[in-house]
Structure formats: structure tokens, C-alpha cells
Amino acid sequence: MQKMLTIISNVLRGSARRNGAQVVSEAASLVVASRSYADFTPEATFDIKKVDLHRLEEGPPLTATLTREEGLKYYRTMQTIRRMELKADQLYKQKIIRGFCHLSDGQEACAVGIEGGITLSDHLITAYRAHGYTLTRGGTVREIMAELTGRRGGIAKGKGGSMHMYTKNFYGGNGIVGAQVPLGAGVALACKYLGNDQLCVSLYGDGAANQGQIFETYNMSSLWKLPIIFICENNQYAMGTSVERSAASTEYYKRGDYIPGIRVDGMDVLCVREATKFAADHCRSGKGPILMELQTYRYHGHSMSDPGVSYRTREEIQEVRSKSDPISMLKDRMLINNMASIEELKEIDIAVRKEIEDAAQFATTDPEPPLDDLCSHIFANDQPFEVRGATPWTKLTSTS
Amino acid sequence: MGFMVICSLYINKISILLSSHFCILTSRMSLFQVNVRDALNHAMDEELERDERVFLLGEEVAQYDGAYKVSRGLWKKYGDKRIIDTPITEVKTNTLAGVQSQHNISLSQYFELACRHLSSCAVTMVTRANQKPFFCISPQTVVFLENELMYGVPFELSEEVMHKDFVVPIGKAKVERQGTHISLVSHSRCVGFCLDAAAVLAKEGVECEVVNLRTIRPLDVETIEASVIKTGHLVTVEGGWPQYGVGAEICARIMEGPAFNYLDAPAVRVTGVDIPMPYAKILEDHSVPQIKDIIFSVKKVLNM
């Protein structure tokens, strides 16, 4: 009993941040039977890193409040994204998934944090590292995995693949580097035109940040004060080219020049959430666009054909994984502040694993789309029309 | 005059080569197995070695060894000055244009078009390894479209072709297979399908002549016309969409030229299905020309 109390009090004092989880797991086996949900802290406030500001007097707050429910939700979502991406990696190596596949493990805090700062009635568009966003925007793991394997149960009926997934208010999933940003401005223009107080979050990477069309978009959205949040997910490498080798200025949050910018720690889900809330307020108050740079990291290579170690060291990847992993960071915070038990989090892990397994099972057994569907869904709400097949005698029909 | 630049945009799978030399052919002999990727690598290596003014500029071409490993080893051999990694920008033609002063203007618009429309613009299609080395005629910009599905496919090359001075002229098609009953005119990956279809049809007594365009613009109309005049029947085969495609242009030119009078049946195009390319494997396979489509079309044209 005495020993148990000592262990618990050490944990509650938050003695060693890194050892917190370890110590708790020792106590867990003794303690779990007697814990009830009433023992958990319902809400805690955390200090978060100060952001760098560009053309702004004030930035997001330096503290963030997290409720137990939010914490568990973020944990579960990030863990789901992580496991889903790792499963996709496994299926790709078994050649069940083919073609392009860009994984976002390491960058979970970005997707989850952004969603925490906006609502599902807001809009979001990103590039091809989009599986996490498809999930946070309302897609299910089953649909996403079935899309990766090209089956009829996929979120795009198997016709889109990894880079072309869509849900309500989520515009993909875009293959051409940087092209999604002007599209995002278009969505923002629609929001302003309709006066619905919604905004559009347009994401792009550090590689795309040098694209000319992005600067054109900065200009127009600033001129017309469009409700758009530009977000640069800076994971330090554009394919195999590091930021130092590809950009004359690596301060991506300043690249909007006349557009106010903030640079945020993209590995901390609370930082990302607070920054997104701040940015959303900025847009909704009619001040026009704002630019957020999320400093993040991807554990995988650029895509499945890139091992990811020819242009960076394994030690670097390992270091980020051990010091800044977004899931571990949230987990530690919750455990140290007694917002959840290690058992509870383990249960979530097991549930997530099962969900992914079920989804993978579905994705591998669901049939491919029927050949009759070959020409369908080209237009929305159109009359059926004739489509030329491979020869002039092959006449196919397209239905909407 | 001007600089010789090999510029590679692997994101768009377009290569540009500018050159200002003439080169000559030499002798023959044994066969080597070379895949398209290595052939391209070899060819670039030869040009870089031949002339100091040649450099390679593109996304991930240096340290990454090329997005599809086509420029593997070149950066190690030639260094930073000759092999240059660029940031990801789609309109770097302007950089290119800045370097090659004379002939950029007319081409940069074309090239803008080529950059924006991945699937429907081509100038020269490199698909068979024996097209590896290029051409030369005074400073002209050439756009090379490489079919990435072909990178790993091996072909046999004679020693003649392996020689560093071997070149293939631009604007000349090649008759890959002689035939008498019908002309199959194609480019890129579909040439292989045409040859396969021709092999199947030969068993039924139909001898197809297979013409590999090699260059899209300028189009080698003379070779196509000569073939059509010989066989009296024409089927064009391409992976792209039917509307405003290569096959459409070929058919129009045949109509407008002398070969029309030798046609015994209307010319026909075998093309990709007129839809956005779907992802699911079964749908993808059915949205590009298959060998059975070519065989079907040949039989229809020959009224079999």
C-alpha cells in the first residue's frame, strides 16, 4: 500500500516527464481495479509554445485548455491515423495497394489540431498527403482503405485512389503540386459570396510553397479579403530536397509578405488547435487571409517508392520520434495530469487496432467496381450520354 | 551557338533536350539487354561527357538520383555544376528559356501547354530503348515524354546502337514490322501492343505493318503515307483520348493527302476510353487500348 501511494504521488507530482508513463504503468496494475471515472481530472490547462508572428501584434494564447473528452478524442483520432497509415504501408508492400501512396505518420497533430479549430461546416482542401484529413473531415477508415485498394466500397467508389478522396466540405486529395491552393481561394470566394460565415483552409507543403500560383492566390485573396487560411505543412523535405536546398527563404510564414503569418509547432496538437482557432477568428472577422506554417515531420519517405533515408539520416528520424512524437506528447500530458489511465489508453489502442484490421479486411475482400461503372460519374446530375470506347464500335454509357 | 541543356521535369515526366551537333552512325554486331531507364541514363551520360556545355536541370535529378532513378549516378560523376536540383516549380521552362536565347519563344508557349496538360501533349515519345540517343540539328528545343510504365522494360540493343555516336533523327518514324494487309500507326507504349496484336493476327494470315512514330511533331507523314499506299488500310493506336488526339491528326492528314485514294476502307482510331483515368485496376485496364481492341479493329477494317 505504501509503495503504491509513493508511486502514485510521484506520478502526480509530474516528476520526470519522460518517465511518467513508465511509472504509471507500474502503478496501473495495482491501481486499475479501484479507479473510477470520477477520479480523473476533467480539464487541465497547458502551457504551449509561443508562436512566431509576422505582421501581427498578438498571436494565439500561450495556454490551452484541454478537457478529458477532447483529449481522448484527439488521442483516438491521431492513433487511428497512425495505425491506418502503417497498415497502408503494409498493404502497399504486399502489392494490395498500388500506384501513388503518400503517408502522413508523424503529421497527425496537424490534421487533428486543425479540425479542432474549425467546424465540419468549414471547408478544407489539401494536396496528396491526405488520408489523415479525409478521416478528420468525416471519412471512415473502411472507406479510405477500400479506396486505397481500389474497391467499390471506397470513398470515391474505387475510381480515385490515394490522391483523390473527397467528403462533404473536403475537396481532396489533389495530385498537381500547389494547384489546390487557388482552388481553395475559389471555395473561400464562394463562402464570402454566400455570406455564410464559413472559411476555407488551404494546405500545401514546403515544396509547393515556391509555386507561382500560390503567390497569385495570396494576391487575389488579400485583395478581395477572402476568408482563407493558408497552411504550409513544413515537414522539412520536398520529396528528397531539404528546405535549405529548395527555398531562398525558409520562413514560410513570412512568404505571404502582406499577409499576416504565424509559425507553429506542428507536432503539438494543442498548439495547432489554438493557432487554427486564432486564424479562424481572424478570417471570420473579415480581416482577410492569414498564413500558418506548421513545423512538422514525416516518418515515412515522400511516397512508398522513397525509403526516406537517402537524403536524411535514420538518427534524425529516430530523434524526432522519441522527442516530438505528437501521440506520445498528448499521451504524456494526459497521464501526468491524471486525465486518463494508461489502461484506458491501451483500450483505445486495442479498439483502434481492431477497427483498422476490420477495415483492412473489408478493403481486401470488397469487390472491384463493376465494368458497367467504367464511364459513370463524370458529371453530376446529368442525363445518361454516350461515351466512345477504345474503338469506334465500342459505345459505352455514362450515368451520373 | 547557345547552351545545350538537358532539362528534366520528372513531375510532369517531360524532358527537354537542346543540342547543336551533328553525329554519325557506325558498325554492327552483338546484342545487349537494356531497359528504357538505363538507356535514357546512358544517353544522358554520353551527351554530358561529349560536351561541357551540356547540363541537367530538374526536380530530384541530382541527389535523389532522379524521381524514377533515370539520372542515377550522374550527380556523383559530374557534380553540382552539371547536375542541378531545382525547387518544385512547374514553369521552369522560363529558366530554361533564359539560358537558350534563340529558339525559346515559340516553344515556351507550347511547353506551357505541355506542362499543364500532362496526358495530352507529346512531342517525342521515348519508349523503346533503341531510341535512346538523340538528335541533332541546329539549336532546336525538343520535348521528350517518357512513359513511366516502360522504364523497367528491357529491349535488345545491338552494339551499333550502344556506340556513343549512334543517333536517331527527329521527325522520322520507324517501320518496326513489315506488313502487306494493314498499317498500324502508333507511338509510345502502344507500339508494343501493336506488335503483339500483329503476332496474333499473323497466325490468321493477316500481315500487319507496324509504324512507330517516335516523333509527334514534326509528324513523319511521308512514312505513314507510304505505308498506307502499300497496304490500303489504316488503324492508328494511342493511349490518349480520341478527341483532338494524335490519331485524329493522322487520319485528317491521310484524308487531305495522296494516300486517301489508296484506302480501301475508312481509317480508324483505337484510343483510350473518353473518360478521366480511373484508379481501380480493372477499370484502368479497360480504359486504355488492349491488344484485343486492336485485333478487333483490324478485323473490322479488313471486313473479316
Side-chain angles (χ1 to χ4, degrees), chain A residues 98 147-148 150 158-161 176-177 210-211 238-241 245-246 306 311 368-369 371 374-375 378 387-388 390-393, chain B residues 11 60 63-64 67-68 85 87-90 118 242 268-271 273-276 278-283 286 293 296-297 300:
Chain A
R98 300 159 63 247
E147 187 57 40
L148 290 173
K159 295 187 175 188
I176 307 290
V177 175
N210 302 312
Q211 280 271 332
M239 276 184 79
T241 312
R245 290 203 306 130
S246 61
D306 171 25
Y311 47 87
E368 283 191 293
L371 272 181
L374 181 68
C375 303
I378 296 178
V387 170
R388 187 201 200 269
T391 74
W393 302 279
Chain B
I11 297 294
E60 309 294 346
Q63 294 185 19
Y64 202 75
Y68 297 97
D85 269 338
I88 300 175
T89 51
E90 313 296 70
L118 297 173
V268 147
R269 303 167 295 168
V270 173
T271 66
V273 177
D274 200 14
I275 53 172
Y279 171 74
K281 177 128 185 34
I282 191 173
L283 299 182
H286 282 83
D293 295 316
F296 179 79
S297 303
K300 278 283 211 179

Side-chain angles (χ1 to χ4, degrees), chain B residues 129-274:
Chain B
N130 59 6
Q131 292 162 26
K132 56 139 178 138
F134 334 109
F135 28 73
C136 317
I137 309 180
S138 42
Q140 275 188 19
T141 313
V142 180
V143 179
F144 243 76
L145 288 195
E146 300 164 0
N147 189 311
E148 57 183 276
L149 292 173
M150 299 294 290
Y151 281 140
V153 179
F155 290 89
E156 280 181 349
L157 294 187
S158 67
E159 203 181 287
E160 169 191 10
V161 174
M162 294 293 288
H163 193 279
K164 61 182 170 68
D165 287 333
F166 178 79
V167 283
V168 160
I170 303 187
K172 286 297 296 166
K174 182 181 177 205
V175 178
E176 300 278 352
R177 182 188 196 278
Q178 293 285 342
T180 47
H181 298 124
I182 186 166
S183 302
L184 298 178
V185 179
S186 184
H187 62 274
S188 191
R189 191 165 163 243
C190 291
V191 174
F193 298 159
C194 287
L195 289 169
D196 291 340
V200 173
L201 286 161
K203 295 194 188 116
E204 296 183 49
V206 178
E207 291 301 327
C208 302
E209 178 148 294
V210 178
V211 178
N212 179 1
L213 288 175
R214 296 198 298 195
T215 310
I216 304 299
R217 190 180 177 91
L219 194 62
D220 186 358
V221 194
E222 287 79 33
T223 305
I224 304 172
E225 279 175 343
S227 179
V228 171
I229 287 170
K230 177 176 156 198
T231 66
H233 299 86
L234 172 62
V235 169
T236 67
V237 185
E238 69 200 283
W241 293 316
Q243 201 156 330
Y244 315 124
V246 174
E249 177 63 20
I250 293 172
C251 290
R253 298 250 202 141
I254 293 295
M255 293 267 283
E256 291 168 352
F260 172 73
N261 298 305
Y262 294 81
L263 277 176
D264 290 335
V268 147
R269 303 167 295 168
V270 173
T271 66
V273 177
D274 200 14

Side-chain angles (χ1 to χ4, degrees), chain A residues 181-311:
Chain A
V181 181
L183 287 181
V187 174
L189 178 64
C191 294
K192 182 163 179 166
Y193 191 99
L194 296 170
N196 52 24
D197 205 35
Q198 292 164 8
L199 51 83
C200 182
V201 178
S202 290
L203 292 121
Y204 55 94
D206 47 281
N210 302 312
Q211 280 271 332
Q213 54 195 321
I214 294 188
F215 294 89
E216 290 180 25
T217 316
Y218 289 159
N219 182 48
M220 289 171 82
S221 45
S222 231
L223 197 60
W224 295 340
K225 295 218 172 343
L226 300 182
I228 180 169
I229 303 177
F230 293 103
I231 300 189
C232 177
E233 269 182 297
N234 179 2
N235 60 18
Q236 312 300 319
Y237 297 96
M239 276 184 79
T241 312
S242 66
V243 293
E244 296 80 41
R245 290 203 306 130
S246 61
S249 160
T250 54
E251 295 184 306
Y252 295 101
Y253 70 113
K254 289 186 182 169
R255 297 280 288 274
D257 187 14
Y258 36 79
I259 297 181
I262 54 178
R263 180 165 57 188
V264 180
D265 177 7
M267 302 301 267
D268 180 353
V269 67
L270 293 178
C271 269
V272 178
R273 187 189 73 178
E274 292 309 311
T276 310
K277 278 187 184 162
F278 174 81
D281 287 339
H282 184 275
C283 281
R284 284 193 233 274
S285 61
K287 294 186 190 143
I290 184 167
L291 206 165
M292 258 167 70
E293 177 188 339
L294 299 179
Q295 292 192 303
T296 182
Y297 199 83
R298 52 167 163 83
Y299 298 146
H300 266 86
H302 165 73
S303 69
M304 285 308 299
S305 60
D306 171 25
V309 288
S310 54
Y311 47 87

